[in-house]
């Protein structure tokens, strides 16, 4: 019997080692898998490359990972926020490398990795600082920039419900990067509020098919839903 | 001079958003436009983080922090609204499916170049978010901004001095003193506040305005 569920968050993050590239879902705190990140911090690994839309908010999630000094490089679109002080401090001290990517290019590059594409041409960013030195091409009268996929060793995402085959549904705008990160990483680890029996999810409404998910762990009501 | 307030600017932009339009309102000043869309006019507001059919802020105490907008504020979903992932959301934006996008700006050039993401100051931490995708993706990109800086310099310029967000992407600029159409043919005055002439605007901006 195939059962991708694991009993706790420690087992969920097993195998993540120093230097890994880790995608972390979430837009701000919505969809941020705080419990998996806490387990990653407890695991003690560092020198990580983190792919997330932001660079941490407040004290939890990606912010806590940065505060703990575990992040060598972050690939994100919007690191400058009023409550991203742990990133600000690390960045100004030269302790963290930043690759800034326009948000839609970030999504498209992650999706390209998951879809097995070698690269994409995107109009976003053409003629700006963020396209400097990159190959360009005019296609059908419009200028495009060549951008490469973003792959990862692991993806840590948060979904609402999942089953033992790894099928997932999400909740509201917490969906954000989850479905595409699940496709792009070699190993995708999902934390869910509830593991439901096989067949309980309506197959017409499954958002992430189980093929993209290797492990899932039931968390109950996660931190970011309790916080307000 | 009858300078428009920021709320009056928002109300003026709202007048030009027709029923049925798919619209993204940028963070900051453009967010105010939603307050001036008449209730009987059905307009689809998209938020880049993954919702279409965005409603107003919930009552205090009713916030759901998994239902937020691009500015990470709690919002609501209108009946008929829906959720989607980030690649679909940016496909809506980049793929030309939105009718109108309204953005704030540091500078806009008479040719429609936009600078709104980075001051370029040494030591400033750069952050771009969805600005570059929004700028180039919608059928029409509107900018809302005060025409002059606090120092009295025009933010409508011959060529942007701030780092660019997109090239030739803005079609119309709504300011507190006038509305301009911009593009390959330069800047043209669409309307001005009462008592302000085209020559006054030319003197304020130093631009050849049609």
């Amino acid at each position: 019997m195939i059962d991708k569920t694991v009993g706790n968050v420690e087992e969920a993050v097993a195998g993540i080692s120093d230097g890994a590239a880790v995608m972390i879902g979430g837009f701000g705190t919505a969809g941020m898998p705080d419990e998996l990140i806490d387990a990653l911090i407890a695991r003690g690994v560092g020198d990580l490359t983190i792919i997330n839309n932001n660079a941490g908010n407040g004290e939890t999630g990606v912010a806590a990972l940065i505060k703990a000094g575990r992040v060598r490089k972050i690939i994100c679109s919007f690191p400058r926020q009023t409550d991203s002080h742990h990133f600000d401090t690390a960045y100004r001290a030269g302790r963290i490398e930043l690759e800034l990517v326009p948000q839609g290019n970030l999504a498209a590059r992650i999706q390209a990795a998951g879809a097995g594409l070698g690269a994409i041409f995107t109009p976003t960013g053409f003629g700006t600082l963020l396209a400097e030195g990159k190959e360009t091409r005019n296609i059908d009268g419009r200028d495009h920039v060549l951008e490469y996929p973003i792959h990862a060793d692991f993806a840590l995402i948060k979904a609402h419900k999942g089953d033992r085959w790894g099928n997932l549904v999400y909740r509201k705008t917490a969906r954000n990067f989850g479905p595409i990160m699940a496709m792009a990483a070699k190993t995708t680890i999902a934390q869910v509020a509830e593991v439901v029996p096989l067949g309980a999810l309506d197959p017409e409404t499954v958002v992430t098919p189980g093929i993209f998910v290797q492990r899932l762990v039931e968390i109950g009501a996660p931190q970011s839903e309790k916080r307000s | 001079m009858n300078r428009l307030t920021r709320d009056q600017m928002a109300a003026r932009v709202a007048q030009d958003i027709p029923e049925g339009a798919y619209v993204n309102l940028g963070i900051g000043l453009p967010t105010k436009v939603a307050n001036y869309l008449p209730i009987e006019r059905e307009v689809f507001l998209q938020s880049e983080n993954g919702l279409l059919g965005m409603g107003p802020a919930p009552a205090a105490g009713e916030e759901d922090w998994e239902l937020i907008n691009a500015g990470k504020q709690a919002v609501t979903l209108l009946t008929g609204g829906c959720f989607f992932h980030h690649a679909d959301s940016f496909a809506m934006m980049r793929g030309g499916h939105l009718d109108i996008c309204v953005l704030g700006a540091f500078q806009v050039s008479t040719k429609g170049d936009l600078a709104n993401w980075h001051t370029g100051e040494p030591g400033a931490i750069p952050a771009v978010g969805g600005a570059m995708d929004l700028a180039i993706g919608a059928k029409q990109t509107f900018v809302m901004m005060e025409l002059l800086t606090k120092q009295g310099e025009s933010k409508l310029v011959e060529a942007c001095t701030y780092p660019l967000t997109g090239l030739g992407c803005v079609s119309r600029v709504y300011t507190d003193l006038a509305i301009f159409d911009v593009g390959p043919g330069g800047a043209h005055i669409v309307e001005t506040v009462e008592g302000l002439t085209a020559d006054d605007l030319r003197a304020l901006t130093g631009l050849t305005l049609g």
Side-chain angles (χ1 to χ4, degrees), chain A residues 16-38:
Chain A
I16 302 181
S17 53
D18 286 343
V22 183
M23 291 179 173
I24 297 181
F27 179 86
T29 58
M32 179 78 74
D34 287 333
E35 285 74 5
L36 288 176
I37 297 170
D38 288 346

Side-chain angles (χ1 to χ4, degrees), chain A residues 159-162 167-171 192 201-202 205-208:
Chain A
H160 184 45
K161 291 180 184 177
N167 297 306
L168 301 177
V169 294
Y170 298 81
R171 188 171 174 277
V192 296
L201 298 178
D202 177 354
T205 62
V206 167
V207 176
T208 293

Side-chain angles (χ1 to χ4, degrees), chain A residues 27-28 54 77-81 88 92 103-104 111 124 128 142 158 171-174 176-177 225 227-228, chain B residues 48-49 64-68 70 72 85-87 90 94 117 123 125-130 132-133 136 164-165:
Chain A
F27 179 86
N54 303 104
S77 84
F78 206 82
R80 189 190 64 227
Q81 300 183 96
D88 294 2
R92 293 193 193 286
Q103 201 167 327
Q111 193 177 40
T124 301
T128 74
R142 192 169 202 202
K158 179 170 133 180
R171 188 171 174 277
K172 303 187 179 181
T173 59
N176 56 65
F177 283 90
E225 283 172 31
R227 201 168 48 228
S228 61
Chain B
E48 68 187 24
N49 52 313
D64 177 344
W65 295 103
E66 292 196 324
L67 179 44
I68 60 173
K72 305 186 173 80
H85 64 64
H86 240 72
F90 280 79
R94 192 195 310 109
W117 73 282
I125 295 176
V128 64
M132 290 184 178
D133 305 278
I136 58 108
L164 290 178
T165 308

Side-chain angles (χ1 to χ4, degrees), chain B residues 115-152:
Chain B
N116 78 344
W117 73 282
H118 187 28
T119 59
E121 283 168 24
I125 295 176
V128 64
M132 290 184 178
D133 305 278
L134 280 169
I136 58 108
K139 293 190 180 89
Q140 288 182 281
T141 299
F142 294 167
V143 159
M144 281 177 82
M145 64 181 189
E146 276 85 20
L147 182 59
L148 305 175
T149 65
K150 290 192 176 71
Q151 291 73 36

Side-chain angles (χ1 to χ4, degrees), chain A residues 59-189:
Chain A
E59 301 297 326
T60 58
V62 170
L65 198 60
I66 292 171
K67 183 185 180 186
R70 308 299 172 75
V71 184
R72 180 182 64 77
K73 177 180 179 181
I74 188 154
I75 302 174
C76 71
S77 84
F78 206 82
R80 189 190 64 227
Q81 300 183 96
T82 51
D83 59 352
S84 58
H85 44 270
H86 290 304
F87 170 78
D88 294 2
T89 303
Y91 181 75
R92 293 193 193 286
R95 289 198 302 268
I96 190 166
E97 183 188 339
L98 169 65
E99 179 180 342
L100 189 70
V101 182
Q103 201 167 327
N105 287 357
L106 183 65
R109 291 173 64 189
I110 292 168
Q111 193 177 40
L117 300 175
I120 53 163
F121 277 107
T122 170
T124 301
F126 179 85
T128 74
L129 284 177
L130 299 185
E132 268 182 5
K134 292 179 178 172
E135 191 176 333
T136 62
R137 186 174 299 184
N138 187 285
I139 301 170
D140 286 338
R142 192 169 202 202
D143 290 311
H144 292 73
V145 184
L146 182 70
E147 294 281 3
Y148 291 99
I150 300 174
H151 296 275
D153 301 304
F154 293 89
L156 308 183
I157 63 172
K158 179 170 133 180
H160 184 45
K161 291 180 184 177
D163 62 30
R164 65 180 175 83
W165 281 8
N167 297 306
L168 301 177
V169 294
Y170 298 81
R171 188 171 174 277
K172 303 187 179 181
T173 59
R175 181 182 308 193
N176 56 65
F177 283 90
I180 56 172
M181 287 182 169
M183 296 170 67
K186 290 191 195 105
T187 301
T188 291
I189 305 158

